Amino acid sequence: MQYALPMQTHAPGHTARRLAPFGTTIFAQMSALAAQHHAVNLSQGFPDDPGPAAAHEAAARAMQAGHNQYAPLPGTPQLRRAIADWSASRSRISPDPDTGITVTAGATEALAAATLGLVNPGDEVVLFEPFYDSYRACVAFAGATPRFVQLRPDESGTRFTFDEPELRAAFTDKTRLVLINTPHNPTGAVLSKAELQTIADLCLQHDAIALADEVYETLTYDESQPHISIATLPGMADRTVTVSSIGKSFSLTGWKIGWAIAPSHLTAAVRAAHQFLTFAVATPLQHAAAELLTKHHAIAESIRAHDHAMRDLLVPALTDLGFKCFNPAGTYFVMADHTEVSAGLALSPETTPDAALCRHLTEHARVAAIPPSAFYSTPSDGGRFIRFAFCKQQPTIEQAIANLRETLG
Ligand code: PMP
Ligand code: GLN
């Protein structure tokens, strides 16, 4: 789906049929529109700080020490050891560093390698929507069929959840994989133990694999809603691939150092794809990442505390302006219902209401956000929502609030 925004990088006549429907990712489109209008960019989720100084120093040292040729296919031994210890301490998953961890080019490659390595053409993959946009493309790469289950506001209207019968109905005898994301982008929901148990029970019943995207594992804000890895539920360690990266936890989205954790039989499948996708990823950054994951847990905690404070600055301000926010328990995004705000604006009827509002706010309020319809199989299902990222420095958030107040307030 295209939003008639300025960046069109693919030529529709030439793009392969399996990819043509996805157009150019909304993140590239909205960041380009934000730049064009000098808008505060709360669309694509990336921090606007330079990243931790300890990371710069560790990367420079690794380069100067000569770690500049290919890393081993599964990742450097130091980084795999560091990931194993990090996961054991944070998520209580204890992988074997040699046979259970694959270092990838960000979580994005881990998700693609797991899907390509594990899913056959004709298989079915259960996806929750709104979904992170690369999931659908991964399913298409594999020649599989997506089965969508919607996350919707719960009865209290405060958090997104799924309907158990709807999820049950999405599982069939062709289900190979269910792709889950917790903490969840874009809704900010953190899946509860009961929700994860429901998914786990269905995986066990249908002999399906869980692919768990946990890139926001460190970013949770409510002690009553902690991050739980589905791999730690009974019977699931053997059938789960857990994906994460240092992008969010260490404010280093540009490093693209990620990983897939899985039992050896599933790791073999992930590596079967990884070896031909990238073979190996940036060696000096792997050395630096190993240092961060081992010695600098305090950095991840200070990033979490900062994002928590920015959530608590942005969400009340948006609420004051008429956005009905779903206060996120995790991630660095807030999803809001914009119905009341949009009602007072003359928006273009040519696109879904969220895309029209995002264009309007970027052009007139100089604040860019993401239209979540890009994350739904039927885009209009996301039309009443808007997503703002708050992984920004405080002056950036304050400027965005001031701009929105001037136009909407
Ligand atoms: N999964 C989710 C849910 C995300 O929001 C992102 C965003 N960056 C990714 C995966 C990709 O992570 P990476 O940058 O490590 O490839
Ligand atoms: N994960 C980020 C987001 O959701 C963006 C990632 C990307 O630009 N591909 O905004």
Side-chain angles (χ1 to χ4, degrees):
M1 131 99 41
Q2 293 294 318
Y3 288 87
L5 296 174
M7 216 185 93
Q8 301 274 339
T9 52
H10 76 296
H14 298 275
T15 305
R17 279 193 300 279
R18 68 183 173 283
L19 285 176
F22 306 126
T24 302
T25 159
I26 192 64
F27 306 118
Q29 292 190 58
M30 284 312 307
S31 278
L33 193 69
Q36 186 188 331
H37 293 280
H38 307 286
V40 181
N41 190 357
L42 304 190
S43 64
Q44 189 180 16
F46 62 89
D48 62 345
D49 61 59
H56 310 164
E57 286 155 19
R61 245 187 294 112
M63 284 181 199
Q64 282 155 1
H67 297 299
N68 297 304
Q69 308 308 334
Y70 291 129
L73 178 157
T76 64
Q78 296 90 333
L79 179 53
R80 281 182 283 119
R81 176 80 260 161
I83 292 166
D85 293 344
W86 165 268
S87 305
S89 71
R90 303 203 65 99
S91 313
R92 286 191 255 121
I93 307 176
S94 304
D96 180 313
D98 293 328
T99 60
I101 296 175
T102 309
V103 176
T104 55
T108 307
E109 194 225 335
L111 292 161
T115 314
L116 285 170
L118 288 162
V119 175
N120 281 303
D123 286 349
E124 291 181 358
V125 177
V126 176
L127 295 181
F128 292 91
E129 59 182 356
F131 43 73
Y132 182 59
D133 70 346
S134 82
Y135 300 171
R136 259 182 110 187
C138 287
V139 175
F141 287 155
T145 305
R147 302 277 307 222
F148 298 102
V149 176
Q150 270 201 14
L151 299 172
R152 298 189 190 86
D154 67 3
E155 277 168 13
S156 68
T158 53
R159 76 185 277 277
F160 280 70
T161 187
F162 57 85
D163 178 50
E164 191 180 327
E166 195 181 324
L167 179 64
R168 197 169 290 285
F171 276 77
T172 72
D173 56 5
K174 291 192 180 153
T175 306
R176 173 68 170 154
L177 204 71
V178 53
L179 211 166
I180 69 170
N181 171 216
T182 184
H184 184 258
N185 174 11
T187 67
V190 178
L191 287 177
S192 69
K193 187 147 189 194
E195 288 167 331
L196 291 168
Q197 190 61 60
T198 301
I199 299 167
D201 289 345
L202 286 163
C203 287
L204 291 162
Q205 210 175 309
H206 290 268
D207 193 20
I209 296 164
L211 176 54
D213 178 350
E214 302 185 358
V215 292
Y216 299 100
E217 60 181 321
T218 58
L219 298 177
T220 57
Y221 311 118
D222 182 343
E223 276 175 18
S224 71
Q225 297 182 59
H227 168 63
I228 301 169
S229 292
I230 196 168
T232 62
L233 269 51
M236 290 305 290
D238 227 29
R239 53 175 69 248
T240 302
V241 181
T242 306
V243 165
S244 194
S245 78
I246 59 164
K248 331 289 173 191
S249 37
F250 287 89
S251 214
L252 292 166
T253 59
W255 280 27
K256 299 298 289 187
I257 296 292
W259 55 83
I261 294 174
S264 59
H265 59 285
L266 300 183
T267 292
V270 173
R271 289 181 185 173
H274 165 71
Q275 63 182 339
F276 298 128
L277 286 172
T278 54
F279 181 77
V281 299
T283 311
L285 301 187
Q286 292 197 46
H287 282 273
E291 219 174 292
L292 293 171
L293 290 173
T294 311
K295 296 190 202 154
H296 293 290
H297 292 205
I299 292 177
E301 173 49 29
S302 72
I303 291 166
R304 191 202 66 78
H306 172 82
D307 286 349
H308 192 174
M310 293 308 100
R311 180 197 76 161
D312 291 349
L313 181 61
L314 182 63
V315 171
L318 292 174
T319 306
D320 277 353
L321 287 166
F323 291 99
K324 186 182 170 305
C325 294
F326 299 91
N327 200 24
T331 77
Y332 46 48
F333 304 110
V334 53
M335 184 97 143
D337 186 319
H338 64 74
T339 309
E340 195 184 310
V341 172
S342 298
L345 302 171
L347 298 176
S348 153
E350 282 160 36
T351 55
T352 49
D354 59 334
L357 178 64
C358 286
R359 176 176 272 288
H360 181 91
L361 292 181
T362 308
E363 290 176 355
H364 300 284
R366 283 162 294 104
V367 176
I370 290 286
S373 54
F375 306 143
Y376 284 84
S377 56
T378 304
S380 56
D381 288 349
R384 68 188 167 107
F385 300 119
I386 184 165
R387 188 199 82 172
F388 295 90
F390 52 82
C391 48
K392 304 290 173 179
Q393 296 178 71
Q394 187 163 337
T396 309
I397 300 287
E398 285 168 349
Q399 186 65 58
I401 293 170
N403 289 5
L404 288 169
R405 280 195 183 132
E406 204 180 300
T407 306
L408 302 173

